[in-house]
Amino acid sequence: MTVPSITLLDQTTIPQLGFGVFQVPAEDTAEVTSTALEVGYRHIDTAQMYGNEAGVGDALASSGLARDDFYVTTKLNNGNHRPDDVRRSFEESLTKLKLDRTDLFLIHWPLPTQYDGDYVSTWKAMAALVTEGLTASVGVSNFNPDHLQRLADETGVLPVVNQVEAHPYFVNDAVREASLGHGIEVEAWSPIAQGAVLDDATIGQIAEKYGKTASQVTLRWHVERGDIVFPKSTKRERMTENFGIFDFALTPDEVATITGLDKGTDGRTGPDPATFDYIPD
């Protein structure tokens, strides 16, 4: 099954479906990622704060895949926002991933109440890595519209993606529209609301119509909306299930019906980027 690719602002391409390793234990990550690669995933999303980049690197190194046959994203630890720490920590990530470059490097959180509110210097240090050929692209995660506008106004360099919480119970359309308005593609984390939507009666009815699962229908909804999505599972059968979303399509009315399940901020499962200020010890 062929996974569609999306062309980004910088004219690079990214697979629309990937595999996420958030909360996968470090000691299990190599095996889990290897299984995902066997299933057919070629886009792996990790982060410095996940503590499992080395396992991803081990799996990729043993996969037998050519470098251009897979796409790797990692993200900047909240404790590494100072420009010198951006470079140092990124080089450590490359070592753990066993790569000479990443495909995409993201600021994980804007942390507007930390570092004197200066995420612009962080962003400039990120962009320099592209100039030096160390990463193909740079982007952001959990950036609100005002955060994005500040980057545009103060640097003129736009992220290629904004990875944000988005799912049927929290469609997050204000952030999505602001991102897309800048030409920034949207990646959806927590795409099935940490499993909360799997028992939704409306999604279940649509799933029954197509002979699919609620997870498959929800992921297909993301695809229909243009989101880049990377569900996480440690089980092969669920990985295979999540990969099987390109042999059917939802109608526009079905997409609208699922979008109508939105609960606004009451549906949010993660922190608010405007106030989240966690920095690891």
Side-chain angles (χ1 to χ4, degrees), residues 148-187:
L148 296 174
Q149 190 62 52
R150 184 177 174 193
L151 293 186
D153 291 343
E154 296 188 28
T155 74
V157 179
L158 289 169
V160 297
V161 302
N162 187 14
Q163 184 179 126
V164 298
E165 180 178 355
H167 48 75
Y169 290 166
F170 182 55
V171 298
N172 210 0
D173 270 351
V175 171
R176 291 182 77 259
E177 289 169 7
S179 300
L180 295 171
H182 286 291
I184 301 166
E185 297 296 335
V186 174
E187 296 186 326

Side-chain angles (χ1 to χ4, degrees), residues 104-133:
L104 180 61
F105 190 38
L106 308 180
I107 298 180
H108 207 151
W109 290 89
L111 304 177
T113 63
Q114 295 282 2
Y115 300 101
D116 296 321
D118 182 17
Y119 48 82
V120 174
S121 294
T122 308
W123 177 242
K124 289 178 179 177
M126 300 273 287
L129 299 174
V130 177
T131 303
E132 296 175 42

